[in-house]
Amino acid sequence: MAKKLMKGCEAIGEAAIQAGCRHFFGYPITPQSEVPEYLSRRLPAVGGVFVQAESEVAASNMILGAAATGTRVLTTSSSPGISLMSEGISYIAGCELPVVLVNIVRGGPGLGGILPAQSDYNQATRGGGHGDYHLLVLAPASVQEAADLIGLGFDLADKYRNPVMVIGDGMIGQMMEPVEFRKSPVLDLPPKDWALTGARGRKARIITSLFLNGEELEALNLRLKAKYERMAREDVRFSTYNVEAGYDVLIVAYGTTARICQTAIDLLREKGVSVGMIRPITLYPYPYEAVAKAAEAARAVLTVEMSMGQMIDDVKLSVLGKRPIHFHGHAGGVIPTPDEVVERIHSIRAGFQS
Amino acid sequence: MERIFPHLRRVVTFAGAFGSGKTEVAVNFTELWVARVAVSIADLDIVNLYFRSRDVRAQLESRGITVLAPRTDGPMTDLPIIIPEVRGALRDGTRQLVLDVGGNDCGARVLGSFKDVMDRSAVDLFVVVNANRPFTEDVDGARSVLRSIEAASGLAVTGLVSNTHLCDETTVDTVVDGFRMAQELGLAVGAPVRFAAADARIAADVARQLPVPVLPLSRRMLAPFHPEAARIPVPGRPLGRP
């Protein structure tokens, strides 16, 4: 398939279709409205269903219902909309249903703004709604990766019977890059022997998140815990940049911010300064071991985020006090520049000499 | 300019599908035009606040181009405002004006609001086409977008701008292949391809293969991590701050 030029939001929509998703329920909100815009045109053309719900709360319950039938289903939103969906997402996690959620993050708290941000890291990686649950969270750094991770996300949702969130800042959703739709290596997926497909001729199935018996609910909590431990064993993903060359500062960044840091690393290399980077692709499960190992080779660690510091807590949990951890961040839609990162690296390295 | 792009009307409007390159073309076109005459550019994008011509206001103003866009805030502010100066510039029969319009029919609808101050015979409506973009990959798709823009704006298309590219992966062939589609589209809708646009680095090679003028593009609408983005104000960074 020849490459197309697409916005991240459009690529997410097309990738969902390529992954066999035929159901979208959602509500427009900047900066992700291009996903429903795209799918409202494309889904009917491929025999799918597009419903603009009356609210995000409704959309989150519609995807619960659709997923319960075993069909692949997508919703997309941006920060305040995800907050509204949190009730439904918690129910979906409790029902152990596979759905793919997309959060194209804008600045907050509250209504905030409509500019790119990474300030929903905590909400995404710690569950987000009530109760003991986690989403599997994937963070693309390019339009191509956004498309690839949507395909992978549907597979991982089915593999674990767990909601998967693909999280990108507004820039990932809005910028255009060449993209091609590759068949993701299809995982060997279990049969959906739990799906509500009509009980004629078989025993009725029940999908619920209501367990009034404490032992039954704890059994679910233990099953979920085992699931998250398996994710950490089998599906941690990350990439590295310029680590082969050796480095005294390690950058940890994800999404658009990682692209900015990559440019900064290239600028520094021209000046003879070698800096390494590790970029988490799964924000949950987090690549704790990989970050710890990469940090050991450095004298200091720099975390760069478009927030006031959220992922830095996971970096601290990786490094466990063995290296100093610095932070550089902007919020509210202000985007760090490569030059700023270069400056920060220089000042950190100046500290080594003194 | 008259030599490169003959028979231009006083007001040149760039419309087209979302992400077809309207702003990139409008900005580069205006910079070329201002070398000959006084010209203003009006940023009429009230649909999407990412990647708009007001993001490069300082650069345009430094070249003597008047930028008609709300000045109340920096770039990336969601204020869907058309400032009154735009109507003034449309009424003023002496100054050249470039209109940079938002995407699709919903972006073009703003043109309809100028009906009372627009002398249609003085207005070119150019539709920018990128054959690598969704929904405008073939003549049928591109024609449907074009007709919806005409209906929303109340104007008839007077020309096409062939702007097929793949960002950093564009080759001469990418542009030439896209031009063929634009030419077919032109025949289907009865409007000529007025010019093609191509990255300045390959524009000369492209020009040797195409029967129309080629506008060399120096890209401004770049993601903040793009190595060349350091030259331009970063979207999202309010003006006036370090």
Side-chain angles (χ1 to χ4, degrees):
Chain A
M1 199 173 173
K3 282 195 179 181
K4 294 281 159 213
L5 188 61
M6 289 180 123
K7 294 185 185 189
C9 284
E10 297 164 341
I12 283 166
E14 184 59 34
I17 288 174
Q18 300 288 333
C21 172
R22 293 291 178 274
H23 294 81
F24 178 95
F25 306 94
Y27 192 82
I29 176 172
T30 308
Q32 65 80 49
S33 294
E34 285 82 352
V35 187
E37 167 95 13
Y38 184 87
L39 287 176
S40 66
R41 294 181 70 167
R42 278 285 285 146
L43 272 174
V46 294
V49 174
F50 174 93
V51 177
Q52 178 171 324
E54 64 267 41
S55 74
E56 286 88 345
V57 179
S60 67
N61 288 290
M62 290 176 183
I63 59 170
L64 188 160
T69 70
T71 192
R72 287 192 159 181
V73 60
L74 175 78
T75 191
T76 64
S77 191
S78 180
S79 313
I82 296 288
S83 290
L84 280 168
M85 288 183 185
S86 296
E87 179 188 68
I89 296 170
S90 172
Y91 281 46
I92 289 165
C95 292
E96 296 186 84
L97 289 174
V99 303
V100 174
L101 318 153
V102 174
N103 184 2
I104 300 297
V105 182
R106 56 190 250 180
L111 268 179
I114 58 181
L115 305 180
Q118 296 181 315
S119 41
D120 295 352
Y121 180 93
N122 288 343
Q123 184 193 44
T125 59
R126 269 60 184 170
H130 63 280
D132 246 335
Y133 77 93
H134 285 283
L135 310 172
L136 194 156
V137 184
L138 301 165
S142 67
V143 173
Q144 181 66 58
E145 197 174 35
D148 295 345
L149 291 182
I150 289 288
L152 178 69
F154 274 107
D155 275 9
L156 291 176
D158 284 343
K159 174 178 173 181
Y160 291 106
R161 277 188 69 183
N162 199 72
V164 168
M165 175 178 279
V166 176
I167 192 166
D169 57 83
M171 196 53 74
I172 294 286
Q174 291 293 324
M175 69 181 181
M176 290 199 302
E177 288 185 319
V179 60
E180 61 189 332
F181 295 94
R182 309 186 266 242
K183 273 263 164 277
S184 53
V186 181
L187 303 177
D188 194 12
L189 297 172
K192 293 185 172 178
D193 53 10
W194 44 265
L196 307 185
T197 54
R200 185 172 297 172
R202 64 159 167 77
K203 202 168 161 278
R205 297 165 178 167
I206 296 173
I207 288 179
T208 182
S209 69
L210 176 66
F211 299 92
L212 294 174
N213 176 313
E215 283 172 8
E216 270 182 43
L217 179 53
E218 192 187 39
L220 168 69
N221 294 135
L222 289 168
R223 198 159 65 239
L224 294 180
K225 181 166 181 278
K227 198 185 293 199
Y228 305 142
E229 285 165 359
R230 184 177 169 210
M231 288 177 190
R233 283 195 307 275
E234 297 179 14
D235 281 296
V236 168
R237 285 173 166 79
F238 61 91
S239 83
T240 56
Y241 190 69
N242 199 44
V243 291
E244 303 77 17
Y247 49 91
D248 51 15
V249 181
L250 175 75
I251 293 178
V252 190
Y254 69 98
T256 293
T257 311
R259 298 281 292 272
I260 289 162
C261 293
Q262 194 171 320
T263 304
I265 290 171
D266 293 343
L267 292 170
L268 284 159
R269 195 161 38 194
E270 285 167 21
K271 292 171 188 157
V273 177
S274 184
V275 170
M277 176 167 72
I278 183 160
R279 173 174 73 88
I281 295 170
T282 48
L283 302 185
Y284 188 90
Y286 194 78
Y288 289 111
E289 281 175 33
V291 172
K293 202 158 159 267
E296 272 171 29
R299 294 179 66 181
V301 177
L302 173 63
T303 305
V304 186
E305 298 179 57
M306 281 194 272
S307 77
M308 290 289 98
Q310 299 196 10
M311 182 184 70
I312 190 169
D313 290 342
D314 279 328
V315 177
K316 287 175 182 167
L317 287 172
S318 309
V319 177
L320 295 172
K322 290 177 188 161
R323 296 289 182 277
I325 297 168
H326 302 264
F327 179 74
H328 182 74
H330 280 295
V334 180
I335 302 171
T337 65
D339 287 344
E340 280 174 12
V341 178
V342 167
E343 279 307 305
R344 251 343 262 280
I345 294 285
H346 283 319
S347 76
I348 290 168
R349 295 183 81 250
F352 296 159
Q353 273 99 53
S354 62
Chain B
M1 199 70 177
E2 182 57 30
R3 233 182 36 234
I4 313 173
F5 305 114
H7 316 303
L8 286 177
R9 296 179 178 177
R10 187 179 65 80
V11 179
V12 176
T13 311
F14 292 101
F18 284 118
S20 53
K22 300 171 293 296
T23 296
E24 203 76 82
V25 167
V27 164
N28 281 272
F29 179 89
T30 309
E31 287 178 345
L32 201 62
W33 211 5
V34 80
R36 302 299 180 95
V37 289
V39 56
S40 306
I41 183 168
D43 182 345
L44 303 183
D45 192 344
I46 53 170
V47 181
N48 185 326
L49 77 171
Y50 283 77
F51 305 113
R52 296 179 298 190
S53 46
R54 71 191 68 171
D55 297 351
V56 291
R57 179 196 283 273
Q59 277 184 311
L60 292 166
E61 286 178 345
S62 74
R63 292 172 186 238
I65 296 162
T66 308
V67 180
L68 304 176
R71 198 179 272 281
T72 30
D73 288 281
M76 301 285 277
T77 303
D78 186 29
L79 291 172
I81 296 168
I82 303 294
I83 58 171
E85 285 88 334
V86 177
R87 297 177 69 81
L90 282 165
R91 264 200 211 96
D92 176 356
T94 62
R95 260 181 94 87
Q96 317 293 316
L97 178 64
V98 172
L99 302 179
D100 178 17
V101 182
N104 284 15
D105 49 340
C106 56
R109 190 159 301 140
V110 67
L111 294 169
S113 70
F114 300 131
K115 226 173 231 171
D116 57 324
V117 288
M118 222 178 217
D119 169 10
R120 286 182 180 206
S121 66
V123 178
D124 269 319
L125 176 60
F126 290 171
V127 166
V128 181
V129 185
N130 181 344
N132 283 330
R133 291 278 300 145
F135 307 120
T136 59
E137 293 147 319
D138 52 31
V139 170
D140 282 348
R143 177 170 44 198
S144 132
V145 172
L146 181 149
R147 293 299 185 212
S148 72
I149 288 170
E150 286 185 320
S153 66
L155 297 169
V157 171
T158 60
L160 305 179
V161 176
S162 178
N163 185 42
T164 295
H165 68 94
L166 269 176
C167 289
D168 293 339
E169 297 178 28
T170 311
T171 64
V172 173
D173 288 345
T174 314
V175 183
V176 173
D177 288 348
F179 174 76
R180 286 198 198 103
M181 194 284 269
Q183 219 170 15
E184 279 175 48
L185 174 65
L187 288 173
V189 301
V193 180
R194 295 294 293 265
F195 63 92
D199 189 293
R201 279 165 289 209
I202 60 168
D205 292 335
V206 168
R208 274 191 280 278
Q209 297 200 35
L210 296 188
V212 296
V214 175
L215 174 72
L217 296 177
S218 113
R219 279 176 63 197
R220 307 299 163 75
M221 300 297 128
L222 295 167
F225 47 78
H226 198 281
E228 287 170 31
R231 296 183 292 109
I232 63 170
V234 175
R237 182 152 306 260
L239 291 177
R241 280 182 48 184

